[in-house]
Amino acid sequence: MKTEQMQTGNIVKPLRLGFLGMGWIGKNRLDALVKHGVARPAVISDVNMENAMAAAMDDTIVCDSMEKLLLESSSLDGVVIATPSALHAEQTIAALEAGLAVFCQKPLGRNNGEVSEIIETARRENRLLGIDLSYRFLKTVSIVEKLIRCGDIGRIFAIDAVFHNAYGPDKPWFYDPELSGGGCVIDLGVHLVDLVLWMFDFPSVTSIHSRLYANGMRISGRDKGVEDYAAATIELENGPLVNLACSWKLQAGTDAVIGLTFYGTEGALSIRNFPGSFYEFKAERYRGTSCEILYDSSDDWGGGAILDWAGKLLQGGLFDKSVMEVQKVTEVLDEIYKNS
Ligand SMILES: NC(=O)c1ccc[n+]([C@@H]2O[C@H](COP(=O)([O-])OP(=O)(O)OC[C@H]3O[C@@H](n4cnc5c(N)ncnc54)[C@H](O)[C@@H]3O)[C@@H](O)[C@H]2O)c1
């Protein structure tokens, strides 16, 4: 079924989507689409059939491999991929080459080689490719982004970016660099790097200094194990210095510490979670020693990126070249590992 055929008068038929990987985030994103009435799970594929069955609706086809899912491609509008990160490149490319739009979890690939190949395939096949860079869709992020773009705090010269998850992932594959592509940098740092580069329209990066640790011991690269603490200093061309830190299982005294503070010559803007929550965020503006709260309510933001992709697909969206910017994010992550 082609997307352009689905819109009749004012009634928009929900997208028919295939879902590959129905673990924690796959189910969460499926629920967001169904809740908003924009898509239905036509096919769910997971090697763990229990996971697939638990998320299926009455008319959902359930299977256990990508090959079986793609047998249904002519009846699908797109595929949502939420499998372990090492599988993203192969599965996304196969779905795009089958003529389907794809929404893939972050990280899109384990390194810039994989990411570039995926994006080139989407461009060649002229298919809409979305990535779950979900933090772009926080209300606090959109408030701060607008203020930064209109020069509200003058010239920005420094950014503190932190993402500490005091639990760390609970699935073994996250700790195998072959399957995950790395530790807290590729898992959490990806959001921080993406937010900063995106808010500054993807400037060139002039230098990156980084250090990685595992169990309190310094490590280098990502071949032998995964880092659970990382610090990096990233210098942007004609722009601010970014001080980044992220971790798994840090003794942080709370569930999570997530924050992005932009320091300018006329003030500062901050986005931070509270109180240690993964779901509630505050936006604040600082002038000297005073603090103004700009936003401090909870925000149902997790489905933001997939709903955005689904909305574009419903409009017949094809390849969108803005996705190419993500290669710059992956280049920074690769350099953080390389320079460590
Ligand atoms: N956007 C975000 O903020 C965000 C948040 C959490 C996780 N993620 C990403 O989502 C992805 C999945 O993470 P998760 O926490 O849901 O993991 P998970 O382990 O809970 O889920 C993965 C699912 O994929 C299935 N699977 C494994 N191999 C498969 C295959 N060959 N074909 C089909 N299914 C297969 C597993 O059985 C499991 O159900 C990761 O890449 C992770 O980085 C993104």
Side-chain angles (χ1 to χ4, degrees), residues 19-27 29 45-49 51-52 63-66 81-88 91 103-107 131-135 163 169-171 173-174 179-180 186-187 191 301-302:
F19 289 81
L20 199 51
M22 200 40 70
W24 175 61
I25 207 78
K27 176 76 169 68
R29 299 315 191 233
S45 172
D46 195 304
V47 288
N48 178 333
M49 287 291 275
N51 285 1
C63 59
D64 62 1
S65 76
M66 178 181 66
I81 295 176
T83 50
S85 307
L87 303 174
H88 293 177
Q91 293 176 337
F103 181 81
C104 184
Q105 271 310 313
K106 65 78 196 160
I131 307 163
D132 203 348
L133 293 163
S134 42
Y135 284 80
F163 198 148
D170 56 357
K171 295 123 202 170
W173 68 262
F174 275 93
L179 296 177
S180 58
I186 201 160
D187 182 38
H191 290 298
W301 56 276

Side-chain angles (χ1 to χ4, degrees), residues 230-265:
T233 308
I234 303 164
E235 204 175 346
L236 306 181
E237 191 176 43
N238 300 326
L241 188 70
V242 184
N243 292 300
L244 178 146
C246 58
S247 69
W248 290 339
K249 299 184 179 171
L250 193 70
Q251 321 245 356
T254 185
D255 292 0
V257 182
I258 307 169
L260 206 49
T261 304
F262 300 84
Y263 295 99
T265 49

Side-chain angles (χ1 to χ4, degrees), residues 156-275:
I156 296 171
F157 58 90
I159 300 171
D160 286 345
V162 293
F163 198 148
H164 301 300
N165 172 348
Y167 300 104
D170 56 357
K171 295 123 202 170
W173 68 262
F174 275 93
Y175 299 90
D176 177 345
E178 262 301 300
L179 296 177
S180 58
C184 59
V185 170
I186 201 160
D187 182 38
L188 307 175
V190 62
H191 290 298
L192 301 173
V193 173
D194 176 65
L195 284 174
V196 169
L197 294 187
W198 174 64
M199 286 195 191
F200 287 88
D201 295 326
F202 293 89
S204 296
V205 172
T206 50
S207 74
I208 296 176
H209 180 267
S210 58
R211 287 289 179 263
L212 305 179
Y213 296 82
N215 287 320
M217 302 295 287
R218 196 166 150 209
I219 59 167
S220 279
R222 52 183 156 181
D223 299 333
K224 296 189 185 75
V226 295
E227 73 287 356
D228 56 19
Y229 183 89
T233 308
I234 303 164
E235 204 175 346
L236 306 181
E237 191 176 43
N238 300 326
L241 188 70
V242 184
N243 292 300
L244 178 146
C246 58
S247 69
W248 290 339
K249 299 184 179 171
L250 193 70
Q251 321 245 356
T254 185
D255 292 0
V257 182
I258 307 169
L260 206 49
T261 304
F262 300 84
Y263 295 99
T265 49
E266 290 164 39
L269 287 161
S270 178
I271 298 155
R272 62 186 177 90
N273 69 324
F274 80 103

Side-chain angles (χ1 to χ4, degrees), residues 272-340:
R272 62 186 177 90
N273 69 324
F274 80 103
S277 165
F278 286 94
Y279 305 103
E280 295 183 57
F281 287 83
K282 270 186 187 180
E284 295 170 333
R285 174 163 44 201
Y286 311 136
R287 303 263 191 221
T289 53
S290 74
C291 168
E292 178 192 357
I293 293 171
L294 304 173
Y295 186 88
D296 74 348
S297 298
S298 66
D299 175 1
D300 186 14
W301 56 276
I306 200 166
L307 289 168
D308 180 66
W309 171 82
K312 288 177 181 158
L313 194 55
L314 279 166
Q315 301 295 319
L318 296 170
F319 180 69
D320 175 352
K321 65 180 175 21
S322 68
V323 77
M324 295 168 84
E325 294 163 345
V326 170
Q327 288 172 94
K328 294 203 174 172
V329 176
T330 322
E331 279 166 20
V332 170
L333 301 184
D334 282 359
E335 285 297 304
I336 289 176
Y337 284 109
K338 198 172 130 206
N339 297 349
S340 64

Side-chain angles (χ1 to χ4, degrees), residues 106-185:
K106 65 78 196 160
L108 182 57
R110 287 169 295 179
N111 51 52
N112 202 34
E114 289 189 345
V115 167
S116 302
E117 203 184 335
I118 295 169
I119 290 175
E120 172 51 24
T121 308
R123 192 197 60 74
R124 194 178 61 236
E125 300 292 335
N126 197 15
R127 286 291 168 264
L128 185 67
L129 172 63
I131 307 163
D132 203 348
L133 293 163
S134 42
Y135 284 80
R136 288 189 192 181
F137 293 85
L138 260 74
K139 283 202 180 84
T140 46
V141 166
S142 99
I143 290 167
V144 166
E145 184 214 353
K146 285 190 184 81
L147 290 170
I148 285 174
R149 287 187 189 280
C150 73
D152 182 71
I153 55 169
R155 185 174 51 78
I156 296 171
F157 58 90
I159 300 171
D160 286 345
V162 293
F163 198 148
H164 301 300
N165 172 348
Y167 300 104
D170 56 357
K171 295 123 202 170
W173 68 262
F174 275 93
Y175 299 90
D176 177 345
E178 262 301 300
L179 296 177
S180 58
C184 59
V185 170

